[in-house]
């Protein structure tokens, strides 16, 4: 699917914004490792002189302090992007992706991990947003309707060929075309299954947990998730309350947010097994492939899930090679954007492991739904045992917010990657100069101390 | 060894400097992935109001573009450091280390990898520099003379206990005390074995390679290293020339700087086996534990080495658990500073794998020699099959530069971590305002384009 060309248009500016929401004040998002996140975005807009006025929007998600470092990393990419042909970028995003990933001096700052890699992801996602807008398609549809050969060209196979070759990828994508039209129709009608983490934040008391878990089931969700890992007695009590609220047939995942060492993860998960957790998420360091494999062997039939902090395709490759995970959790803004997530979706398909994305944060639901929908229509061909995380905050700040109906993500129909934030939200929550922060007594107090 | 206290002194400032050297113009440092590095330092000085005027110096090493992002990351740590008690910091650096690593909002930017983690490493190293200066010891000696119990407290065992517990570490350090005084005397007399990479940069022609390799042997080096991986025919010719220059008894390592996929690494290394390479370094992605294990199985007896880009102790743990490396290459400025390198040295000792540090760059030789010397005196107890990389450039910019005698690093005797750069070098090479860059016609040309 190559986008409609507009001759001669160029990227004229790469503008960045340090946007922070004061989420820590309600303990939304609190877990065993992150007690007080202020959900933030290092936000980037690629401006063009295209007659249609198209812009590309993207962002890295952070949880507060350090968002300015993430913004500085995006700024470091400006020279590589401004001046590029819009047609060229949109017809073949891989050219820019390879140039950014391959910049040897910037590569040293990773390689392909951390702040610099997330910055590349933000810019690459902005290019995909631009490409989808110009193609007048929601991104999931642009991807699902693209030629397999073109999609394979978007993937960087470096370090993957011992597990996935371009030929393997092409075969998977060709297979995925069978029945794609029917699946598109079904997706537009029913949406993609979601699960909700909203009941389970560690900072919530048992009443709030029970109330929200009960409501989640009433709202049609067939899976909820609880944060665990701070205190075992608390976890036993909370898991019991949640299981009692949702009943035996709704899946209940638990999430330790990397809190444990390997042996501790095994002990703790085993102690919670009586509540029939569906998966244990991030039991230990996201870097520990062998550790996840050991945990998985020990806690089966409880499944092991990880990925939101897995920094690139090379680690996902090994998690799959080592049989370390039952569930691959991609994140739309952690790795090198849509391009690297295509590689990860292909790896998961190659190993036959379901992808259940991480979302929440700022705009992660908006982005990642497109990747799962592409996966369903054109790669995995099924939504069985597949769910996208859903968290019900901060969506109002987006121009094309996710829509949840009966526990499903409704398929977006607006052109683009659903990445654009409302201009008034950007203005209000820009840190530290936006109206919210400028007027915030707590921030002023913090500065004075 | 707890440092001499000075009551009441505080850290009064954290100052940063963006320092860049124009090394790309001579192709010093050129390899298969990094054709034109401008060796740079994101440099930090912790200033105190101690009566003795002590300062702590540290830095992250980068290769040019993006050094400003690395500086921004160090700046993000200022609030956590300024105001701390100097006595407290020096008596127990682990307190600050844990606070920095444990800051949940900053942790999101890694976790424990990339720009943010290197920033923590720079600051932690500056604290160790300060501690050693106040103890009036070179850092290697402060570490080698410290109580095992105190050293164990400096180590963060999170995510390590399936391979190394505090009890294991204590046993290793207690064992290391036997004969430590004799080894200190021997080290002061003979130094620590070095190898040199100076002949082997990819940008050098065959004449320069042969001339420098011959001179290396004449200078007493028993190991040299060649960069490989760009073109196999070139590599065969260059390996033949180098082997011919050094003779059969001098070890010749080869270094692909992450250029290959797994299968390619095996083929290429096998094709160079006739020149008897001692180790193949960075054959593939530093993240690929399983890939290194596969390569090692296939290319033996050629050894596999990696580590300069391994981002934290969790990946080193797995490289050792998987039997993926014969040689552990720590880097002084990639991980979370001395504190995390202590963990990595302990892991290597636990698995009985020799540590041969990466050095070169800006000041990496100055720093890492201290870690190998500690390893020798108080942990491994031997220099057999152990060498520190040596590259002969940019040392003049340091106040306490490394001294190489007969192919050995002379043990530093000045107090501190040898981290301090000359003030006039800092002033001249600060980017973009320093005298060198302000007057540089190439930079001005680059800006205009």
């Amino acid at each position: 699917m190559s986008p409609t060309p507009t001759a001669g248009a160029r990227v004229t500016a790469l503008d960045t914004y340090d946007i922070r929401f004061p989420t820590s004040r309600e303990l939304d998002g609190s877990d065993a490792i992150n007690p007080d996140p202020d959900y933030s975005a290092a936000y980037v807009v690629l401006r063009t002189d295209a007659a249609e006025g198209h812009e590309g929007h993207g962002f890295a998600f952070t949880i507060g302090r350090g968002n300015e470092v993430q913004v500085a990393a995006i700024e470091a990419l400006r020279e590589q992007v401004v001046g590029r042909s819009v047609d060229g970028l949109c017809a073949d995003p891989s050219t820019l992706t390879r140039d950014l990933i391959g910049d040897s001096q910037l590569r040293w700052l990773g390689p392909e991990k951390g702040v610099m890699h997330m910055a590349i992801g933000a810019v690459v996602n902005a290019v995909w947003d631009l490409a989808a807008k110009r193609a007048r398609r929601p991104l999931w549809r642009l991807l699902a309707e693209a030629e397999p050969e073109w999609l394979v060209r978007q993937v960087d196979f470096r370090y993957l060929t011992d597990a996935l070759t371009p030929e393997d990828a092409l075969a998977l994508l060709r297979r995925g075309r069978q029945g794609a039209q029917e699946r598109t129709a079904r997706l537009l009608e029913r949406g993609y299954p979601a699960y909700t983490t909203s009941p389970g934040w560690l900072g919530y008391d048992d009443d709030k947990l029970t109330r929200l878990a009960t409501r989640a089931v009433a709202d049609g969700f067939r899976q909820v998730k609880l944060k665990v890992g701070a205190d075992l007695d608390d976890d036993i009590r909370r898991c019991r309350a949640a299981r009692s609220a949702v009943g035996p047939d709704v899946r209940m995942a638990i999430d330790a947010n990397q809190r444990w060492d390997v042996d501790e993860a095994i002990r703790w998960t085993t102690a919670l097994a009586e509540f029939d957790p569906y998966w244990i998420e991030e039991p230990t360091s996201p870097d520990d492939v062998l550790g996840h494999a050991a945990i998985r062997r020990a806690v089966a039939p409880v499944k092991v899930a990880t990925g939101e902090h897995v920094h690139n395709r090379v680690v996902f490759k090994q998690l799959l090679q080592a049989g370390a995970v039952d569930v691959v959790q991609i994140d739309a803004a952690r790795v090198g954007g849509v391009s690297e997530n295509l590689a990860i979706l292909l790896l998961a398909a190659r190993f036959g492991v379901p992808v259940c994305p991480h979302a929440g944060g700022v705009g992660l639901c908006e982005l990642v739904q497109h990747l799962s929908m592409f996966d369903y229509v054109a790669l995995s061909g099924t939504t069985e045992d597949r769910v996208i995380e859903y968290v019900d905050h901060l969506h109002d700040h987006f121009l094309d917010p996710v829509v949840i109906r009966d526990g499903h993500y409704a398929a977006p129909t607006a052109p683009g990657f659903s990445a654009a934030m409302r201009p008034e939200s950007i203005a209000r929550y820009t840190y530290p100069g936006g109206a919210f922060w400028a007027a915030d007594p707590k921030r002023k107090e913090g500065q004075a101390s």
Side-chain angles (χ1 to χ4, degrees), chain A:
Chain A
M1 172 57 41
S2 102
T4 315
T6 307
R10 302 261 157 199
V11 177
T12 53
L14 179 155
D15 293 337
T16 59
Y17 303 87
D18 182 341
I19 302 166
R20 308 190 190 193
F21 297 99
T23 47
S24 62
R25 300 179 192 179
E26 298 294 326
L27 298 181
D28 296 336
S30 55
D31 63 48
I33 289 275
N34 308 294
D36 57 352
D38 279 331
Y39 283 180
S40 302
Y43 193 87
V44 57
V45 181
L46 303 181
R47 302 197 194 281
T48 74
D49 56 8
E52 310 86 337
H54 289 313
E55 297 174 344
H57 292 235
F59 50 86
F61 168 59
T62 83
I63 61 172
R65 278 187 297 283
N67 202 46
E68 76 282 7
V69 181
Q70 191 59 60
V71 168
I74 296 173
E75 299 263 343
L77 303 173
R78 178 175 290 126
E79 259 185 62
Q80 298 248 30
V81 181
V82 173
R84 295 222 181 204
S85 148
V86 171
D87 287 348
L89 274 180
C90 296
D92 187 7
S94 73
T95 308
L96 175 68
T97 307
R98 273 166 232 252
D99 288 350
L100 295 180
I101 300 276
D103 181 310
S104 65
Q105 297 191 3
L106 296 177
R107 188 177 187 279
W108 192 271
L109 299 172
E112 301 191 54
K113 57 179 67 71
V115 167
M116 205 65 240
H117 200 50
M118 291 195 284
I120 290 172
V123 171
V124 167
N125 279 345
V127 168
W128 282 99
D129 179 53
L130 181 63
K133 283 178 186 156
R134 286 171 69 81
R136 300 190 183 89
R137 294 273 188 291
L139 181 76
W140 67 268
R141 201 152 184 172
L142 179 146
L143 295 173
E145 294 173 358
E147 293 298 330
E149 292 75 8
W150 183 84
L151 279 176
V152 168
R153 278 206 305 282
Q154 300 311 312
V155 173
D156 181 357
F157 288 92
R158 173 171 268 190
Y159 304 137
L160 296 187
T161 56
D162 55 325
L164 178 80
T165 65
E167 295 71 34
D168 298 331
L170 196 58
L172 289 164
L173 289 163
R174 284 184 178 152
R175 188 191 69 186
R177 306 204 91 178
Q178 293 159 23
Q181 282 191 322
E182 292 76 6
R183 286 192 294 276
T184 296
R186 211 170 311 144
L187 180 68
L188 288 166
E189 189 194 326
R190 299 191 201 164
Y192 195 104
Y195 76 92
T196 176
T197 305
S198 294
W201 300 111
L202 213 54
Y204 290 178
D205 63 29
D206 291 5
D207 281 352
K208 189 166 182 178
L209 165 64
T210 300
R211 183 163 36 87
L212 293 176
T214 307
R215 193 165 78 199
V217 178
D219 287 346
F221 291 101
R222 304 299 299 158
Q223 179 173 325
V224 298
K225 189 165 78 186
L226 259 65
K227 300 294 183 175
V228 298
D231 180 279
L232 182 55
D233 289 337
D234 284 347
D235 288 348
I236 290 172
R237 201 189 64 250
R238 296 170 68 255
C239 282
R240 180 171 291 126
R243 175 55 78 200
S244 162
V246 302
D249 298 331
V250 168
R251 288 176 175 171
M252 182 182 82
I254 56 175
D255 181 357
N257 289 87
Q258 314 166 26
R259 178 63 182 252
W260 302 316
D261 280 24
V262 172
D263 298 339
E264 196 179 12
I266 293 168
R267 280 197 308 274
W268 204 300
T269 305
T270 305
L272 298 176
E274 64 173 300
F275 307 107
D276 191 20
Y278 182 63
W279 73 52
I280 171 65
E281 176 170 333
E282 288 203 308
T284 190
S285 164
D287 299 335
D288 200 347
V289 172
L290 301 178
H292 280 87
I295 294 165
R296 181 168 177 249
R297 283 192 299 272
V299 306
V302 179
K303 296 179 188 296
V304 170
T306 197
E308 69 175 272
H309 277 88
V310 169
H311 55 267
N312 65 32
R313 68 199 179 284
V314 181
V315 184
F316 278 107
K317 176 188 76 167
Q318 293 174 85
L319 287 166
L320 292 161
Q321 286 175 317
V325 290
D326 299 281
V327 175
V328 165
Q329 298 183 300
I330 59 170
D331 180 284
R334 171 73 56 182
V335 300
V338 171
S339 310
E340 189 161 15
N341 267 319
L342 285 174
I344 297 163
L345 291 172
L346 285 160
L347 280 164
R350 172 89 171 138
F351 284 86
V353 173
V355 175
C356 299
H358 170 251
V362 177
L364 298 179
C365 300
E366 276 68 20
L367 296 189
V368 88
Q369 60 178 340
H370 289 270
L371 300 174
S372 275
M373 291 176 188
F374 156 72
D375 185 33
Y376 167 58
V377 172
L379 192 52
S380 76
T382 177
T383 57
E384 198 182 325
D385 291 337
R386 285 157 170 89
V387 273
I388 306 171
E389 183 166 22
Y390 173 66
V391 185
D392 63 354
H393 52 219
L394 302 176
H395 300 292
D396 291 350
H397 299 296
F398 286 81
L399 285 170
D400 182 25
V402 295
V403 174
I404 300 288
R405 283 197 210 106
D406 192 26
H408 287 64
Y409 277 82
T413 55
F417 197 5
S418 311
M421 213 179 270
R422 293 184 177 280
E424 59 272 27
S425 294
I426 295 175
R428 180 165 168 73
Y429 291 101
T430 289
Y431 186 90
F436 176 85
W437 294 108
D440 181 47
K442 287 201 187 174
R443 195 184 66 85
K444 288 180 180 164
E445 190 185 302
Q447 284 179 324
S449 74

